[in-house]
Amino acid sequence: MSWGAVGAIAAVVGALVGVLAWQFPHAADDDAPVASATTPQSSATLASGLPPASGQVARTPVPVYLAAQAPQAGGANLVQLPRPLASQSGYDQAVVISCPSNQTSDQVREVTYQLRGRYLDFSANVQPYFAAQQDARTDITALASYRERDGTLTRKEQGRQPAATMAVPLPLHASVDGADELTLQVRCENPEGMVVLVAAQVTPTT
């Protein structure tokens, strides 16, 4: 065989090796799994659909006790906590309203607080106090007043507790969302007593 023929064969073999070397690595790359282009999400993101807020802390509204607020009207109907209760714990934020005399012109006592639309809810535990007839019931109504466009106020009953006694104190709740005023209205079976509203409070909107 001449040297020319040998050279031609060597050239063909070299070209074939080059083609195979180019094809096989690319085939291996085609078989390799394709990496996801998306960025892994945190469990918080997957759970809520939104990324966790950075630097934000949930704020819990702090209740405002009515005992620390001056009433807008009816302050003369507020009385001191009776001595037997004053010596006990848990009554430091109580609002105490005297019972009406139940005479024709004195069937109900009221105390009104200004809210200015800044609160959502009112709550208290109704605990009557009577020196005698300790099973006498009281009837407490929470009235929210809403200001109309013409400036007048419209009262709405938002909560009522008609059955509390000394032996059985009961809760009172009322929505005051958007209310301009809150009026606590008291009726008593026995006029010789008072109504203790334990931890009477309103919850701010924020």
Side-chain angles (χ1 to χ4, degrees):
M1 180 179 297
S2 65
W3 288 107
V6 172
I9 293 173
V12 171
V13 171
L16 181 61
V17 170
V19 170
L20 293 177
W22 183 85
Q23 286 290 339
F24 281 104
H26 282 70
D29 290 341
D30 292 340
D31 292 338
V34 178
S36 173
T38 60
T39 303
Q41 295 175 303
S42 68
S43 58
T45 301
L46 295 176
S48 65
L50 296 172
S54 176
Q56 294 185 357
V57 179
R59 297 176 57 187
T60 301
V62 178
V64 174
Y65 290 104
L66 295 184
Q69 309 301 311
Q72 182 180 5
N77 295 323
L78 295 176
V79 295
Q80 295 293 320
L81 191 69
R83 185 174 299 177
L85 298 182
S87 60
Q88 301 179 28
S89 61
Y91 293 96
D92 54 325
Q93 297 294 345
V95 171
V96 188
I97 305 174
S98 60
C99 285
S101 65
N102 290 344
Q103 300 298 317
T104 303
S105 60
D106 188 24
Q107 298 285 323
V108 63
R109 296 281 172 89
E110 293 184 352
V111 179
T112 298
Y113 295 90
Q114 196 166 48
L115 302 182
R116 303 180 186 275
R118 299 172 181 172
Y119 301 91
L120 294 174
D121 303 289
F122 163 76
S123 65
N125 203 43
V126 181
Q127 183 173 332
Y129 181 85
F130 297 98
Q133 195 185 346
Q134 297 185 359
D135 60 345
R137 294 191 307 173
T138 58
D139 188 338
I140 317 302
T141 303
L143 300 166
S145 296
Y146 301 88
R147 193 168 297 280
E148 305 294 344
R149 292 183 177 180
D150 61 1
T152 60
L153 291 174
T154 300
R155 272 187 176 185
K156 294 182 180 179
E157 180 181 316
Q158 296 291 65
R160 184 184 176 194
Q161 180 47 259
T165 65
M166 284 186 66
V168 185
L170 294 171
L172 172 62
H173 299 281
S175 170
V176 295
D177 188 10
D180 194 73
E181 296 176 357
L182 168 66
T183 298
L184 302 174
Q185 195 176 78
V186 170
R187 294 178 175 85
C188 303
E189 281 187 342
N190 185 343
E192 301 298 327
M194 60 196 71
V195 175
V196 181
L197 298 176
V198 180
Q201 60 187 268
V202 284
T203 304
T205 55
T206 55

